[in-house]
Amino acid sequence: MATAGSVLSEEQLLCPICLDLLNQPVSTPCGHNFCRECIQGYWQSANLSQCPMCRQKFYRRPELEVNTFISEVAFLFKKSLEQKDENETSAVGQYSGLRGGVSCDVCVGKRVMALKSCLDCLASFCETHLEPHHVLGTFKKHQLIHPMMNMQDRVCKKHEKLLGLFCHTDQTYVCRICIRKDHKAHHTVPIEVESKDKRAQIKGINAEVEKMIRGHQQKISEISQAVLLSRENSEIELEESLKVFNKLLLLVQRGQAEVAEVIGAKQRQVDSRASRLIAELKREIDELNRRNAELTQLSHTEDDLYLLQSFPAFTTLPSTKAWSHDTCAESAVYVGTMRRAVRRVACQLEETVKAEVKRLCEDEFRRAQQCAVDVTLDPDTVHPKLVLSENRKQAFHGDVALNVPDNPKRFYPGVSVLGKEGFSSGRFYYEVQVKGKTEWDVGVALESVNRKGGNMLNPETGYWALGMRQDGSYWALSSTPIQLPLVEKPQKVGVYVDLDGGQVSFYSVDSASHLYSFTGYSFNGRLFPYLNPRRNHGGVNSAPLIISDV
C-alpha cells in the first residue's frame, strides 16, 4: 500500500500562509486549503473575506469545517517523515554517526557494510570476513565492538592501545598507559563520560537551533502575511484610484459631449439662417437681373418717344433689403458660446478635482493619525532658556537661562528640544499646537544631529522640519527653503513619519489638509520629534508649543 509520502509531495501539504504542514486543514469554497487558524487570522487582520490565493471574495464569511481527508493525509505524511528521521537516527547511531555506515576493510570492489570492528586487528569486517573471529581460537580472544570508521585513528600511536580516556588538562585523547606516565596528575575521564557531557551540550545546542528554526519559520509566516496584506492594500488603493480617474474621465467625456452638442446646435442654427439669407439674396438678384434686362432693352430702342414715355417707370429701383454684417456677428457669438461651454466644463472639472483631492487628503490624514504615539519632551536636550511644563508636553521661551547641567545632548545656542523616545523603524505620528505663535519650527531630527553651535535646519544636517516666520510666511526647511502658499493658518500641525518608506509629511489638523512632504530619504539612525519655539521677542512669541493628544 502506498504511503502518504509516496503519493503527495510536501509542497502539496503546506499552508500557503504559514508555509508549514497543514494543521486542522480547512477548504475555502474556491477549493484552496489552509490551516484553520491561519485563514481565520488572515480574515480578521485584513477585515475582508476573500481567498489569499485566487482573490475570490465571499459576500459572507464561510463556515469552515476541518477537511478530515486532508488532515489524515497530512498526519500520515508527518508520521512518515518522523519514521524516516528515526530510521536515519538509528542508522547514524549504529554506524557511529557516519552516513552510509562503515565498510568492510577486507572486501575489494563492491562496498559491503561492516558488522563489527576489532580493537586488536584495528579493522572492520563484514559478516563473511568476521567468521575467523568466531571459529579460530586466537581470534576468539579479540575484542569486538560496533563498527567504527578509521580504526587506526582510535589507537594511541605511542602505546598502540585504544584511546579510551579524555584528558581535560591537555584537551587530548589518551590510552590507559598514557595516564600512568605522561598524564598521571591530569584530570582525565572515560570517553563515555565525556561523550555523555557533550551529548548534553549537543541537546542544548539542538534545542537552540530548533528555537532558531521556529523563529525563522515565524518570521517567514509574518513576512508572508505582510505580503498578503500588502497585496490586499494595493488592490484597495488601485480600485480607489480607478474610481477617482473614472469619475474625472466621465466628467471630461460628458463635458466634451456637451460642448460638441452646443457647437453642433449653434452651427445648425448658423446654417439654417445662412440658407434663408442666401435664398432671399438670390430672389433679389433675379429681380435685379430682370430690371437690368429691361433697361438694356429700353436703351436699344430707336423709338425716342417710347423711350421717353417708358423711362419714368424705370427710375425706381426694385425693393431690396439693406444688408449688414449680421453673419459675422453670428460667427463671433458662436465662438464665444463655445468658449463659455468649455470654460464651464473646465470649472466643473476643477471643482471636482479639488473635492477629490480634499477627500484623498482626508483619507491620508486619518491613516496617518492611526500611527499616533505618545510623545513627551526630553529635559536633557532642552535649551537652558526653554521652559518645559510639568507633564513635559509644552515648551516655551522664558528669556532667562535656567540653572541646568550642561551635557552633550543639550541644545545650545539653538532654542530646541527633542522628544524623549526615538524611532528606528516603522511609522509614527504626533501633533503640535502652534496657536498664538508668530514663529516656530516643528518636525523630526536624527539622534546624531549637532547640538552645539549654529545649525541650519535641513535634511543634510539631520532635520526634517516645517517653520513659520514673523512675517506670517510658512516654509519647508529643505536645503533651499520652499515657501508654502497656505490659505489658512494652521493652528495645529500633524507630523507623520514612515521610516521604512523614507517619508516625513506635515498636515494641518484643523482642515485635515496636506501641507508638505519630504520623500525619498534614507534615515541613518533613530529619529526623534523636534520642537523649536524660537525666541520670545518681548512676549510677542511667548505662547508655548503644545504636544496634543491625538
Side-chain angles (χ1 to χ4, degrees):
M1 180 176 177
T3 63
S6 64
V7 177
L8 295 172
S9 65
E10 183 176 1
E11 288 76 10
Q12 294 172 289
L13 296 173
L14 293 181
C15 171
I17 296 177
C18 68
L19 303 179
D20 203 352
L21 280 177
L22 289 165
N23 180 26
Q24 292 187 312
V26 293
S27 301
T28 57
C30 54
H32 292 106
N33 301 311
F34 307 90
C35 298
R36 181 163 63 180
E37 185 176 347
C38 292
I39 187 64
Q40 289 177 344
Y42 169 77
W43 284 344
Q44 184 176 0
S45 60
N47 197 24
L48 184 66
S49 297
Q50 71 172 21
C51 176
M53 297 296 291
C54 66
R55 300 297 179 184
Q56 179 178 339
K57 295 182 179 179
F58 310 120
Y59 294 102
R60 294 180 58 189
R61 184 167 294 182
E63 294 292 335
L64 301 177
E65 299 293 339
V66 175
N67 190 317
T68 55
F69 172 74
I70 297 178
S71 179
E72 184 176 354
V73 171
F75 174 75
L76 292 175
F77 189 87
K78 184 176 181 181
K79 190 174 182 181
S80 66
L81 289 179
E82 291 175 350
Q83 184 63 39
K84 182 179 179 181
D85 291 341
E86 289 179 1
N87 294 338
E88 290 179 353
T89 303
S90 177
V92 166
Q94 184 177 356
Y95 297 113
S96 301
L98 300 173
R99 182 180 295 179
V102 181
S103 301
C104 176
D105 292 329
V106 181
C107 291
V108 180
K110 185 177 180 181
R111 187 169 181 263
V112 181
M113 305 298 289
L115 186 62
K116 293 289 183 180
S117 293
C118 179
L119 294 178
D120 296 281
C121 300
L122 299 180
S124 300
F125 303 99
C126 64
E127 185 175 5
T128 301
H129 293 112
L130 189 62
E131 187 67 22
H133 285 76
H134 298 308
V135 177
L136 301 179
T138 305
F139 290 103
K140 284 183 178 181
K141 296 179 180 180
H142 288 189
Q143 185 177 357
L144 299 177
I145 60 173
H146 285 300
M148 297 183 179
M149 294 182 67
N150 304 323
M151 289 297 295
Q152 296 292 339
D153 296 336
R154 299 173 183 272
V155 175
C156 177
K157 299 294 189 294
K158 187 175 182 180
H159 305 110
E160 296 185 353
K161 296 296 182 180
L162 183 67
L163 297 172
L165 300 156
F166 179 75
C167 177
H168 278 275
T169 306
D170 293 339
Q171 292 292 303
T172 185
Y173 302 98
V174 296
C175 67
R176 295 195 175 276
I177 298 177
C178 290
I179 62 173
R180 292 200 296 266
K181 294 184 177 181
D182 302 329
H183 300 266
K184 187 174 183 180
H186 292 181
H187 174 48
T188 58
V189 295
I191 285 180
E192 292 79 5
V193 175
E194 184 67 19
S195 174
K196 185 177 180 181
D197 181 57
K198 290 297 186 286
R199 289 180 191 278
Q201 293 183 30
I202 290 173
K203 186 176 180 181
I205 296 173
N206 191 46
E208 185 66 25
V209 170
E210 289 178 353
K211 182 180 178 181
M212 293 171 66
I213 291 172
R214 289 193 297 271
H216 282 56
Q217 289 175 337
Q218 178 65 25
K219 182 58 67 176
I220 290 174
S221 177
E222 292 174 359
I223 293 173
S224 301
Q225 185 76 2
V227 169
L228 290 174
L229 290 176
S230 177
R231 288 176 183 169
E232 178 64 29
N233 291 333
S234 297
E235 290 184 2
I236 293 173
E237 292 292 333
L238 183 60
E239 290 179 4
E240 180 68 18
S241 64
L242 287 176
K243 288 180 182 178
V244 173
F245 285 115
N246 286 336
K247 184 176 181 179
L248 297 177
L249 181 60
L250 181 61
L251 185 60
V252 171
Q253 290 173 340
R254 287 177 178 174
Q256 184 183 24
E258 180 184 342
V259 171
E261 177 59 30
V262 170
I263 293 173
K266 195 63 181 176
Q267 184 61 48
R268 288 191 296 271
Q269 182 181 351
V270 171
D271 291 344
S272 177
R273 178 176 174 80
S275 297
R276 291 195 306 271
L277 294 176
I278 290 172
E280 191 172 349
L281 285 168
K282 285 182 177 180
R283 183 183 57 77
E284 293 184 357
I285 289 172
D286 291 340
E287 182 68 23
L288 292 171
N289 283 333
R290 185 166 52 254
R291 176 59 59 89
N292 186 48
E294 291 174 351
L295 288 170
T296 301
Q297 184 179 0
L298 180 62
S299 68
H300 288 90
T301 184
E302 295 180 357
D303 187 342
D304 296 331
L305 181 61
Y306 174 76
L307 186 148
L308 293 173
Q309 290 176 340
S310 300
F311 179 75
F314 291 99
T315 57
T316 303
L317 294 176
S319 177
T320 60
K321 184 178 179 181
W323 296 97
S324 63
H325 300 288
D326 291 345
T327 306
C328 295
E330 189 76 33
S331 176
V333 171
Y334 156 67
V335 172
T337 303
M338 180 270 292
R339 289 180 177 174
R340 282 195 299 272
V342 173
R343 189 167 61 250
R344 183 173 63 254
V345 173
C347 290
Q348 186 180 0
L349 179 61
E350 183 180 6
E351 291 174 0
T352 304
V353 169
K354 287 181 178 178
E356 286 298 321
V357 169
K358 187 175 186 300
R359 184 182 64 82
L360 292 174
C361 284
E362 289 174 352
D363 289 344
E364 179 184 329
F365 174 66
R366 283 193 292 269
R367 292 182 184 180
Q369 283 189 314
Q370 293 175 2
C371 303
V373 295
D374 183 26
V375 173
T376 56
L377 300 175
D378 186 358
D380 291 336
T381 66
V382 66
H383 182 276
K385 289 188 178 181
L386 289 186
V387 180
L388 298 186
S389 62
E390 187 175 348
N391 62 358
R392 297 177 183 175
K393 295 279 187 177
Q394 301 184 24
F396 67 92
H397 192 278
D399 280 335
V400 179
L402 302 176
N403 185 18
V404 292
D406 189 18
N407 63 69
K409 291 183 178 181
R410 191 175 306 283
F411 283 95
Y412 190 85
V415 285
S416 305
V417 61
L418 294 182
K420 184 68 175 177
E421 300 296 331
F423 303 86
S424 56
S425 63
R427 294 170 290 177
F428 68 93
Y429 171 88
Y430 74 99
E431 294 178 354
V432 182
Q433 179 178 308
V434 296
K435 182 178 180 180
K437 294 194 65 62
T438 57
E439 275 193 288
W440 50 262
D441 296 321
V442 170
V444 291
L446 286 173
E447 185 177 19
S448 58
V449 293
N450 180 24
R451 316 288 178 91
K452 309 298 181 183
N455 218 352
M456 295 293 293
L457 300 185
N458 56 52
E460 283 64 34
T461 57
Y463 297 89
W464 290 264
L466 202 71
M468 178 190 180
R469 296 299 175 258
Q470 283 184 303
D471 59 359
S473 60
Y474 294 87
W475 299 82
L477 303 178
S478 56
S479 300
T480 302
I482 300 172
Q483 186 171 3
L484 305 179
L486 303 186
V487 178
E488 299 179 1
K489 293 179 60 175
Q491 303 298 304
K492 190 181 294 185
V493 175
V495 183
Y496 168 75
V497 181
D498 182 355
L499 287 104
D500 301 324
Q503 173 184 342
V504 180
S505 295
F506 298 87
Y507 300 90
S508 173
V509 177
D510 307 289
S511 60
S513 59
H514 175 257
L515 300 178
Y516 187 79
S517 285
F518 294 93
T519 58
Y521 287 91
S522 179
F523 305 113
N524 300 317
R526 289 197 299 168
L527 280 178
F528 289 77
Y530 170 79
L531 273 66
N532 185 339
R534 302 186 72 85
R535 303 193 181 277
N536 203 336
H537 297 301
V540 176
N541 191 37
S542 61
L545 289 176
I546 304 173
I547 297 174
S548 306
D549 294 331
V550 179

